[in-house]
Amino acid sequence: MQTTYPGRWKSRPNTASAFSMLRRVGFLGVLLIVVLTTASAGAPVQLSYVYSDSMEPTIGVNDGYILVPAGEVQNGDIVTFWSDERDAYVTHRIVGQTADGYLTKGDNNPQIDQETGYPPVTRGEIRGEVLTVGGEPLLIPQLGFVLATARANLSAVLALAGGVLALLWAREGQTRPTRDLTRVRDVAGPVFLVGFLAVGGLLVYGGSSHDIPLVAVESAAGASGPRTVLVGTAEAVETQIELPQMPLTTRVVGSHGIDVTTMTRSATNLSIEGTIHPARTIGPVPAQITVNRYPAVLPHSVLVWLHNWHPIAAASATSGLIFGPLWVLYWVAIDGREPIRRSRSRLWTILTEGFE
């Protein structure tokens, strides 16, 4: 039998289980937001979107899609590939094959890409294939708009999501008539969760990128400078990167447009030798070195493997190893049922329990 206590909120059956489910859904939602806003070219499965109308009506502007590893590429497949000429990823349909590579075309374009001056796409340039169901791509409408908004306001999104999860956590299990006590567990859970997400977010987005200024030229006469390379030639380059000294951290170095052959590290300097990917046209050559720092809680080889799979994996493992022992210590040494104080704040009561 339900009992109504005068001046208090009514207890509701199954409220605890409902809030437990909401908390789990909320956590998965926050995790999904983080994954969506940190697309990685090295991840086996990715979410992406198109920002032009070249694939309409098959894929509209800002429509998202799921990119999966490409198996045997065939005519009619929609693939995402890297284009040095555009300095961007392109999602178009395979319409033919030659000895030099694949022919591609946007469904909304009157000509194939190669007829407008772009070279055939090699197998190594293909990053993945668009997932299809029944021959049609599986789309997420307006994913591009959602991602752009989330990326532009990432701090606010994570803060809002963490706040919502904290409120859901605080409400779980508070279905007893006496609700004016704030217990240790009501605070510890949200604090650990927000801390885990905050540290993970800083690790994912706290990396630095360093462009190597290079220009491709056609003749050796114009290639006398140290920062020029010949078109179509894979040339060796060297670069020095100054880094701030940060003890008790591990660096993970990545590259784009350059195959690193030798790397010399010091506390404040990174010396890199490598081979630039051959440029197909004259002009700037995209070449970049990225540096991500992680607290030194994992072996470097494990951290590199996780980071190459996806930065979120490395950040989550690192953040988990930081907060995991603290959570175990809390669970062993502290009674979460102990009250912290008697809450008399009307605002806190409204936020955590709602109106009568």
Side-chain angles (χ1 to χ4, degrees):
M1 180 179 70
Q2 283 189 323
T3 303
T4 302
Y5 292 80
R8 295 193 180 274
W9 289 261
K10 299 178 180 179
S11 62
R12 301 177 179 88
N14 298 325
T15 302
S17 60
F19 276 114
S20 179
M21 182 184 67
L22 283 176
R23 190 186 69 183
R24 293 187 181 96
V25 171
F27 178 79
L28 291 176
V30 171
L31 183 61
L32 180 60
I33 290 173
V34 176
V35 171
L36 290 179
T37 53
T38 54
S40 169
V45 178
Q46 306 163 47
L47 287 177
S48 190
Y49 66 94
V50 299
Y51 49 85
S52 74
D53 62 355
S54 65
M55 282 299 294
E56 288 188 345
T58 309
I59 306 177
V61 177
N62 281 328
D63 281 351
Y65 56 85
I66 300 174
L67 196 66
V68 297
E72 182 181 353
V73 180
Q74 300 177 349
N75 291 349
D77 291 345
I78 302 175
V79 298
T80 294
F81 58 91
W82 174 257
S83 172
D84 284 334
E85 293 71 24
R86 301 176 178 89
D87 192 23
Y89 288 102
V90 180
T91 300
H92 279 176
R93 191 184 298 273
I94 300 291
V95 295
Q97 301 181 35
T98 68
D100 296 326
Y102 297 96
L103 306 180
T104 56
K105 179 180 179 295
D107 289 0
N108 196 35
N109 292 343
Q111 297 175 297
I112 66 173
D113 298 338
Q114 288 65 38
E115 290 178 348
T116 60
Y118 294 107
V121 178
T122 65
R123 184 63 179 84
E125 293 171 328
I126 295 177
R127 296 296 185 261
E129 177 183 353
V130 175
L131 179 65
T132 59
V133 177
E136 295 295 328
L138 183 62
L139 301 179
I140 306 172
Q142 295 302 308
L143 175 65
F145 172 78
V146 174
L147 289 184
T149 303
R151 285 169 177 159
N153 305 276
L154 182 61
S155 298
V157 170
L158 290 178
L160 178 62
V164 171
L165 287 180
L167 291 179
L168 289 175
W169 198 307
R171 291 199 64 171
E172 183 182 3
Q174 294 184 356
T175 58
R176 295 182 299 275
T178 302
R179 302 188 181 195
D180 51 0
L181 289 178
T182 300
R183 303 183 185 277
V184 173
R185 64 187 179 194
D186 298 332
V187 176
V191 167
F192 275 100
L193 178 60
V194 172
F196 173 84
L197 293 175
V199 171
L202 288 174
L203 293 178
V204 170
Y205 289 96
S208 59
S209 59
H210 308 269
D211 293 321
I212 303 176
L214 296 169
V215 177
V217 296
E218 289 184 339
S219 65
S224 57
R227 291 298 178 179
T228 57
V229 296
L230 291 176
V231 172
T233 303
E235 298 194 22
V237 296
E238 299 180 8
T239 187
Q240 300 281 335
I241 300 175
E242 299 293 332
L243 299 171
Q245 185 171 2
M246 297 180 66
L248 302 179
T249 61
T250 300
R251 291 195 299 247
V252 176
V253 180
S255 63
H256 171 69
I258 175 175
D259 294 325
V260 177
T261 55
T262 304
M263 184 186 309
T264 304
R265 307 165 183 259
S266 69
T268 59
N269 184 270
L270 194 62
S271 179
I272 291 178
E273 298 179 10
T275 304
I276 294 295
H277 294 178
R280 292 175 172 172
T281 59
I282 61 174
V285 178
Q288 187 180 77
I289 300 295
T290 59
V291 181
N292 287 78
R293 288 184 181 270
Y294 296 91
V297 296
L298 280 170
H300 184 263
S301 58
V302 175
L303 195 59
V304 170
W305 182 82
L306 289 172
H307 180 88
N308 290 338
W309 187 78
H310 201 294
I312 289 179
S316 299
T318 301
S319 187
L321 285 176
I322 293 174
F323 286 94
L326 296 176
W327 177 261
V328 172
L329 181 63
Y330 153 76
W331 184 75
V332 171
I334 299 176
D335 185 358
R337 297 169 297 179
E338 287 294 318
I340 296 178
R341 62 180 176 84
R342 186 176 182 86
S343 175
R344 299 181 182 277
S345 168
R346 174 67 174 169
L347 176 60
W348 174 258
T349 302
I350 293 175
L351 289 176
T352 58
E353 300 182 12
F355 292 96
E356 186 173 355

